[in-house]
């Protein structure tokens, strides 16, 4: 416990920033773990460069990690940090504009050398020219203090000692906000003790030295306390979106009774799904790292044909390459889950930055009439339920389903209330076992309720049938070029997807007083900023309704009624208006878009301003 005065806070937003080799992601992750174990509600935003190792000290090489932790329910990683920890001039240069005047600024004074200042584009040292006078500046020689603390650690080079400065910074921040460093000590020992015991010792000592520095220095007069948040009873764990999505796919496999097969090719920001699932062979999960995106989705379709839950994962550039094979799965009418972890484009774009630019592509980016259901997750933990829902639809309706996430959800984290397994949906399916028309097996004889065709596992006696991408004859599945048959089959496939609307929940509207004139409609990862913005606007006395879409094709059956209930509709998106086009075209509602494509999540403040502007204009 600190001997200094303790000040109570309800929430704090901290951002760590430094070179991509400074360990900012590790530092942020461990600070997050400490906050989570204390029971705070948390939301994180990792932000790192696309380059494997950008030049040290350069602006493009800055890596950041923002954590919002609070004693109450929060929805976003925060619009701007209260505290910025900058490990070098480049980190200061790229992040200072986000720090409000009066915010706390902690920098490694040792890093502000002439060489590093020049790399970052500073003509003068900002620590000395008065340009930072409006902030609570703490220029601390982190590198010198770290190296000094580790001088007696055997077999640790000066360079390795310097690299432990991120742990010194973590120790200091842990002291400042009353976090226990014991979980981080356990983590460091588990990570390094067996292989590099000297590195484990160095990092632990640096962590402890940073904590002790906070207690003994005169730079910080007080420490802060953020009490645990009041959350729903249950067991929680901190989870990223890609972890939750992986667990959702495993759960879907168990709930359906089918083995899970993942065909994937590594691509940012989807790769960690492949890495996560590869560790669950004990649950019957099979992962296949293919030579390219086309082979990956082809293997997944083959697995579905063989009676497994076939899944393929990628990001925008890879989803493009998978399009023809997805069309094959549509023609074959086989279940397939395609996970698109969206990133900024076009082409390679900004691989580590989030965007919602793939909605129209997954809806229409294939040749011919090829409708598919589309499901979108709204938060990191929600990726679990979204994955189960995507698998449920794919299995029940024998169709490919796109599951949309994005780089913000994939890498960000939040507390996840572990579900009661007994309350998860039953998504078990059946296979054809014999003839379905007298003594004949008709592979395209449809279920009268779902329009799904029978799923015949190859090798089952008497169920031999044709497969391939050529148009199928109704009922028999033979190759057919008849015009009327093609028209029939095209309409049947479209009706099957459209009919899913009767099997999904209606669109829920958050309109506490029922008197709002403005509806804010969103989808995917914009949920947090929109919901937080609605809270802020309501707190100022402006009634506003909020609805968020999980199902983007088909839309919930009451979507049109909801939209027409409100005189004004605002649709914030991280694109140039994909959902906006769909709403205007399908429901003839004159909605207004709020569109930003900056490679960062929307900010609650700016969405709130857009809502207020629409109210004022109306």
């Amino acid at each position: 416990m600190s001997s200094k005065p303790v000040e109570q806070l309800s929430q704090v937003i901290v951002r760590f920033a430094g070179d991509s080799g400074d360990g900012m992601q590790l530092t942020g992750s461990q600070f997050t773990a400490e906050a989570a174990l204390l029971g705070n509600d948390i939301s994180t935003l990792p932000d790192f460069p696309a380059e494997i190792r950008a030049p040290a000290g350069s602006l493009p090489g800055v890596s950041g990690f923002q954590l919002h932790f609070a004693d109450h329910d929060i929805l976003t990683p925060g619009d701007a940090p209260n505290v910025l920890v900058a490990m070098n001039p480049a980190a200061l240069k790229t992040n200072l504009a986000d720090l409000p005047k009066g915010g706390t600024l902690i920098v490694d004074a040792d890093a502000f050398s002439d060489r590093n200042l020049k790399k970052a584009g500073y003509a003068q040292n900002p620590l000395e020219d008065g340009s930072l006078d409006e902030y609570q500046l703490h220029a601390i020689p982190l590198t010198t203090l770290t190296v000094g603390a580790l001088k007696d650690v055997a077999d640790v080079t000066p360079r390795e000692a310097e690299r432990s400065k991120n742990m010194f910074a973590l120790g200091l921040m842990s002291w400042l906000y009353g976090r226990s460093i014991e979980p981080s000590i356990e983590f460091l020992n588990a990570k390094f003790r067996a292989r590099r015991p000297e590195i484990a010792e160095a990092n632990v000592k640096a962590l402890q030295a940073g904590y002790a520095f906070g207690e003994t220095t005169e730079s910080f007069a007080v420490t802060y306390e953020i009490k645990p948040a009041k959350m729903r009873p249950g067991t929680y764990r901190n989870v990223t979106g890609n972890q939750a999505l992986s667990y959702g796919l495993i759960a879907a496999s168990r709930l359906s009774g089918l083995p899970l097969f993942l065909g994937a090719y590594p691509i940012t920001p989807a790769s960690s799904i492949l890495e996560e699932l590869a560790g669950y062979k004990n649950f019957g999960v099979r992962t296949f790292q293919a030579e390219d995106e086309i082979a990956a989705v082809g293997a997944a379709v083959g697995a579905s044909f063989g009676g497994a839950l076939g899944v393929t994962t990628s990001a925008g550039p890879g989803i493009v390459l998978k399009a023809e094979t997805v069309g094959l799965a549509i023609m074959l009418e086989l279940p397939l889950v395609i996970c698109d972890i969206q990133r900024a484009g076009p082409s390679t774009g900004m691989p580590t930055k989030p965007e919602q630019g793939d909605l129209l592509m997954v809806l229409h980016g294939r040749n011919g009439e090829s409708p598919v259901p589309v499901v979108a997750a709204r938060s990191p933990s929600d990726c679990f339920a979204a994955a189960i829902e995507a698998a449920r639809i794919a299995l029940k309706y024998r169709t490919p389903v796109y599951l949309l996430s994005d780089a913000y959800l994939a890498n960000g984290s939040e507390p996840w209330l572990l579900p009661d397994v007994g309350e998860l949906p039953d998504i078990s399916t059946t296979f054809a076992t014999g003839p379905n028309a007298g003594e004949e097996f008709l592979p395209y004889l449809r279920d009268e309720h779902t329009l799904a065709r029978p799923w015949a596992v190859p090798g089952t006696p008497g169920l031999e049938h044709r497969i391939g991408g050529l148009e199928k004859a109704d009922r028999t599945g033979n190759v057919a070029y008849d015009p009327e048959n093609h028209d029939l089959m095209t309409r049947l496939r479209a009706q099957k997807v459209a009919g899913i609307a009767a099997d999904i929940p209606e669109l829920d509207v958050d309109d506490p007083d029922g008197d709002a004139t403005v509806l804010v409609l969103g989808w995917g990862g914009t949920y947090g900023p929109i919901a937080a913005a609605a809270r802020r606007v309501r707190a100022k006395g402006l009634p506003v309704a909020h609805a968020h879409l999980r199902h983007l094709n088909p839309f919930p059956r009451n979507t049109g009624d909801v939209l027409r209930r409100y005189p004004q509709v605002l649709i914030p998106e991280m694109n140039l208006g994909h959902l906006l086009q769909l709403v205007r075209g399908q429901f003839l509602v004159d909605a207004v878009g709020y569109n930003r494509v900056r490679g960062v999540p929307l900010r609650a403040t700016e969405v709130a301003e857009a809502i207020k502007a629409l109210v004022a204009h109306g």
Side-chain angles (χ1 to χ4, degrees):
M1 295 296 293
S2 174
S3 61
K4 296 182 179 181
V6 178
E7 184 177 323
Q8 201 74 42
L9 298 175
S10 64
Q11 62 181 346
V12 175
I13 303 168
V14 176
R15 182 183 298 175
F16 297 93
D19 263 336
S20 55
D22 282 340
M24 293 297 94
Q25 303 305 316
L26 175 63
T27 305
S29 296
Q30 284 309 116
F31 196 54
T32 300
E34 294 175 5
L37 287 171
L38 268 181
N40 298 131
D41 195 10
I42 57 175
S43 181
T44 70
L45 176 62
D47 183 24
F48 40 85
E51 291 77 15
I52 294 174
R53 188 66 176 95
S58 66
L59 298 178
V62 173
S63 175
F65 190 105
Q66 183 161 303
L67 164 66
H68 184 187
F69 57 105
D71 65 2
H72 57 275
D73 173 41
I74 57 175
L75 296 165
T76 75
D79 291 347
N82 307 117
V83 182
L84 172 62
V85 181
M87 304 299 281
N88 62 17
L92 178 66
K93 187 76 170 284
T94 55
N95 289 277
L96 185 61
D98 292 335
L99 185 68
K101 304 302 181 186
T104 299
L105 177 59
I106 300 172
V107 301
D108 180 6
D110 292 329
F112 282 71
S113 64
D114 292 341
R115 185 164 179 261
N116 284 342
L117 290 167
K118 185 177 180 180
K119 284 183 180 179
Y122 280 111
Q124 295 178 310
N125 190 338
L127 305 184
E128 302 171 353
D129 65 4
S131 62
L132 302 178
D133 288 349
E134 294 180 291
Y135 305 95
Q136 298 180 45
L137 174 63
H138 301 273
I140 302 170
L142 295 177
T143 301
T144 299
L145 291 170
T146 303
V147 172
L150 305 185
K151 64 180 184 297
D152 296 328
V153 179
D155 300 323
V156 171
T157 67
R159 176 58 184 148
E160 289 172 335
E162 280 188 32
R163 292 181 63 184
S164 298
K165 65 184 178 182
N166 65 321
M167 289 297 104
F168 190 100
L170 175 61
L172 173 58
M173 296 303 294
S174 299
W175 170 84
L176 187 60
Y177 291 101
R179 316 283 100 176
S180 170
I181 59 174
E182 289 305 314
S184 293
I185 292 175
E186 293 176 9
F187 168 82
L188 292 168
N189 282 326
K191 184 175 179 64
F192 296 113
R193 183 66 64 183
R195 187 168 46 92
R196 295 288 305 274
E198 72 281 7
I199 297 298
E201 182 181 359
N203 278 284
V204 169
K205 278 199 167 187
L207 179 69
Q208 294 169 331
Y211 195 94
F213 175 81
E215 179 62 29
T216 57
T217 184
E218 297 181 2
S219 297
F220 298 95
V222 299
T223 184
Y224 302 96
E225 180 184 18
I226 296 90
K227 290 185 179 296
K230 294 180 180 179
M231 304 171 74
R232 288 174 54 195
T235 302
Y236 288 81
R237 63 154 292 176
N238 185 39
V239 71
T240 68
N242 276 358
Q243 286 176 323
L245 193 152
S246 300
Y247 302 154
L249 292 173
I250 296 171
S253 170
R254 306 294 283 189
L255 294 166
S256 65
L258 302 178
L260 174 63
F261 177 90
L262 174 67
Y265 179 77
I267 183 172
T268 301
S271 299
S272 58
I273 300 173
L274 172 61
E275 295 163 3
E276 187 73 36
L277 287 176
Y280 289 93
K281 294 180 177 64
N282 56 314
F283 282 103
V285 177
R286 295 184 181 181
T287 53
F288 170 56
Q289 180 175 320
E291 66 268 29
D292 56 41
E293 298 281 5
I294 299 172
V297 67
V301 173
S304 292
F305 177 60
L309 174 56
V311 179
T312 189
T313 56
S314 193
I319 296 297
V320 172
L321 295 170
K322 296 179 189 291
E324 183 181 2
T325 307
V326 173
L328 172 63
I330 293 171
M331 180 65 76
L332 297 177
E333 300 192 44
L334 286 172
L336 176 69
V337 177
I338 310 113
C339 303
D340 181 1
I341 317 302
Q342 301 168 95
R343 69 190 212 187
S347 188
T348 310
M350 299 191 294
T352 60
K353 311 300 181 184
E355 199 165 281
Q356 291 182 307
D358 294 353
L359 176 55
L360 292 180
M361 176 182 71
V362 300
L363 283 171
H364 307 301
R366 294 165 300 282
N367 63 300
E369 295 287 343
S370 51
V372 290
V374 178
V375 174
R378 70 181 191 178
S379 72
S381 62
D382 184 56
C383 289
F384 176 83
I388 294 176
E389 174 65 356
R392 181 190 74 85
I393 293 173
L395 294 171
K396 183 174 182 178
Y397 293 90
R398 310 285 197 262
T399 177
V401 177
Y402 279 95
L403 172 57
L404 295 180
S405 178
D406 61 57
Y408 159 52
L409 300 184
N411 298 315
S413 65
E414 65 180 1
W416 174 39
L417 176 60
L418 299 186
D420 182 344
V421 174
E423 295 181 358
L424 295 177
D426 177 9
I427 61 172
S428 57
T429 187
T430 58
F431 296 107
T433 57
N436 57 2
E439 297 182 357
E440 186 180 6
F441 174 64
L442 298 176
Y444 281 81
L445 183 66
R446 300 177 183 277
D447 180 282
E448 62 179 3
H449 300 293
T450 65
L451 296 183
R453 78 175 186 91
W455 193 358
V457 176
T460 306
L463 302 189
E464 297 84 358
H465 60 282
R466 297 175 184 271
I467 64 167
L470 293 171
E471 181 61 281
K472 304 292 182 289
D474 183 32
R475 295 164 58 89
T476 67
N478 294 328
V479 175
Y481 295 106
D482 175 66
E484 296 305 319
N485 177 79
H486 178 56
D487 185 84
L488 172 64
M489 296 297 281
T490 299
R491 294 180 186 277
L492 282 172
R493 289 188 289 263
Q495 288 170 17
K496 181 174 69 171
V497 173
I500 297 171
D503 191 28
I504 60 177
E506 291 192 340
L507 181 60
D508 181 58
V509 183
D510 177 21
D511 187 358
D513 298 322
D515 59 349
T517 59
V518 173
L519 170 69
V520 187
L521 180 68
W523 68 277
T526 59
Y527 172 78
I530 293 175
R535 284 183 184 178
R536 296 185 187 189
V537 172
R538 288 172 188 157
K540 294 184 180 297
L542 292 176
V544 60
H546 172 214
H548 212 76
L549 289 162
R550 175 187 293 284
H551 298 88
L552 293 152
N553 192 40
F555 287 122
R557 54 192 177 278
N558 67 327
T559 303
D561 294 336
V562 169
L563 290 168
R564 286 185 283 270
R565 194 187 310 163
Y566 296 91
Q568 296 173 297
V569 178
L570 178 69
I571 303 180
E573 297 181 84
M574 291 189 291
N575 56 42
L576 294 183
H578 292 207
L579 178 59
L580 181 67
Q581 290 185 43
L582 297 171
V583 165
R584 284 177 165 177
Q586 187 165 334
F587 301 105
L588 303 181
V589 171
D590 189 19
V592 176
Y594 179 80
N595 306 100
R596 294 292 184 272
V597 280
R598 299 168 302 191
V600 295
L602 296 181
R603 297 189 176 111
T605 301
E606 62 191 16
V607 176
E609 291 301 318
I611 296 171
K612 289 188 285 186
L614 187 61
V615 171
H617 184 266

